[in-house]
Each structure stands twice: as structure tokens, then as C-alpha cells.
Amino acid sequence: MMKKKLLLPLLLSLLKVCQGADDIAPAAAPAVGAAAAPAASPVASYYDDDMIGTPADKSSYIVTKFTSFLSLMGSVAIILEVIAERRINANYPRRSGASPSIGLILVSTSISDIIFSTTFFIGNWAVPKDAPYMWNALGSTQTCTAQGFFVQLAWTATPCFSLALSVYFLLIVRYNWTQQQLKKLDPYVHGGIWLMALIMAIVPLFYDMYNGKFGKVFFSTSIPL
């Protein structure tokens, strides 16, 4: 009796599923010789045409420029602070200041952030002006590629320098490294990071991988310009 009570709802559910499948009309096959419908553009499918040029879109555009400008100014201030610190230490040798190696990493990090913030500030201006998915696009394919190059360059360098800064602090605090020991690492750290960032930014140039996306220009192999 219990089995019948369990089987009955199951059979009814299967019957409803079968009836629902029968109600679905099969897709009409394209006529012989008829032109196939054009595939939807990956960009068009990502962007909502109704959002382009709306107050929300313009607000996002303005906020991005404002915040990227603040970031750029902050990076410039850090570089000026490091330079002032080094001048003070040069005039007062006995003064206990920050490690020059730490200051050098802060300068490299700030330079990378200046590059990154500048590309965000430029934003839509670098996108080809005939791009239908971007409001206030004023650029060309060349500016698009250039922006993508610098985005990738800074995108790689900035986190690497942040990691290097953490490692330097670990060596100073935990392992009591001196400035002379850190100074020996500086050429390898800075040269290695910038070289890797350049390689990561140059390689996509040979494969046309820089394309418009997210209001800037970045990787995509499916959206040729």
C-alpha cells in the first residue's frame, strides 16, 4: 500500500513532464538557401543599449575620472615625500629615517599606479569613436591599443611591487636585514618586475588582444577592432 502511494505521485509528475515536452513547438528549420542570421556580437550582448548615455552611465563615467585623479595625485604625493625624505637624510646622516630601499619600492609602486590611474582617467576617450557600445568614445584603434598596453603594464607591476614591499618588511622585521643587504636586492627586484611587466604588455600586441571593454581597453580575443 505504501509503495502505491509513493508511485502514484511519481507517475503523475512524469506524465506532466511528458505533456509539457509535447506542448513545446519545434524550432523551424531555416529554408534552403536562406542567409543565416548574424551571430550576436559579444560586445552587444554584454552592454545594454538602453544604459548608454543615461544619467547612471554618465555618473559612473564622472566618478571614475574623479577617483582615478585622486589616486594619481596620491601617488605623486608619495613620490615627492620619498624625495624629500632622502634629501633630509642626506643633510642629516645621523638621522634615523626610512630605508632607502623601501622608499625606492614606494616610488616604483607609485609610478605604476600613476600609469594605471591615468589609463582609468582617460577611460572612454581611448575607445574608437565609432564603437556603438561606449558613451563619449573619442579615440581610435591605435589609442585603444596604447591604453591596453599601459593597463596591462601597470596591472602586472603594481601587485608585484606590493609583494616586494611586504617581503622587504619581512626581511627587516623578522630577519633583521640591514640596508646594505637590501641594497643588493634592489636591482634584481626592480629590474625583474619591470621586465616581466613589459613582456606581459608586449606579447598581446602580436595577437591583437587589446580591445574595448568595461569603459577601458583590455584583453579579448573574441572582439576584434
Side-chain angles (χ1 to χ4, degrees):
M1 186 68 179
M2 182 63 66
K3 292 182 179 180
K4 291 182 179 180
K5 290 182 178 180
L6 293 175
L7 287 174
L8 183 59
L10 180 60
L11 291 174
L12 291 175
S13 300
L14 290 173
L15 182 60
K16 290 181 180 180
V17 171
C18 294
Q19 289 177 344
D22 293 337
D23 292 339
I24 299 175
V32 178
S41 168
V43 174
S45 62
Y46 180 84
Y47 291 95
D48 185 359
D49 292 340
D50 295 335
M51 287 294 295
I52 299 174
T54 61
D57 187 26
K58 294 179 181 179
S59 299
S60 175
Y61 176 86
I62 295 172
V63 169
T64 299
K65 292 195 179 301
F66 178 71
T67 54
S68 59
F69 179 77
L70 291 180
S71 177
L72 193 154
M73 291 296 100
S75 297
V76 171
I78 291 174
I79 293 175
L80 295 177
E81 179 68 21
V82 172
I83 293 174
E85 178 78 11
R86 298 196 72 169
R87 288 179 177 175
I88 293 174
N89 290 340
N91 294 330
Y92 302 94
R94 295 184 180 180
R95 180 177 180 270
S96 178
S99 167
S101 294
I102 296 295
L104 191 57
I105 288 185
L106 289 175
V107 169
S108 293
T109 306
S110 299
I111 291 174
S112 179
D113 184 70
I114 287 172
I115 297 172
F116 196 67
S117 299
T118 301
T119 60
F120 267 70
F121 182 82
I122 294 173
N124 298 11
W125 294 341
V127 178
K129 58 185 178 182
D130 57 347
Y133 52 87
M134 198 68 63
W135 177 73
N136 204 26
L138 303 174
S140 62
T141 302
Q142 289 73 25
T143 59
C144 175
T145 301
Q147 188 188 41
F149 173 86
F150 287 110
V151 167
Q152 179 60 25
L153 177 70
W155 193 292
T156 304
T158 300
C160 289
F161 280 117
S162 297
L163 175 61
L165 183 64
S166 300
V167 172
Y168 271 43
F169 278 127
L170 176 65
L171 294 175
I172 294 172
V173 177
R174 176 65 179 84
Y175 298 102
N176 298 317
W177 274 42
T178 64
Q179 172 56 34
Q180 295 301 320
Q181 290 174 300
L182 293 175
K183 190 176 181 180
K184 295 178 181 179
L185 286 180
D186 290 344
Y188 302 100
V189 171
H190 293 270
I193 290 176
W194 283 118
L195 178 61
M196 180 178 65
L198 279 172
I199 293 174
M200 293 291 290
I202 290 174
V203 169
L205 292 173
F206 296 97
Y207 297 95
D208 297 326
M209 294 176 66
Y210 291 124
N211 293 271
K213 194 171 184 181
F214 301 110
K216 297 162 287 299
V217 182
F218 205 54
F219 279 143
S220 176
T221 57
S222 60
I223 312 175
L225 292 175

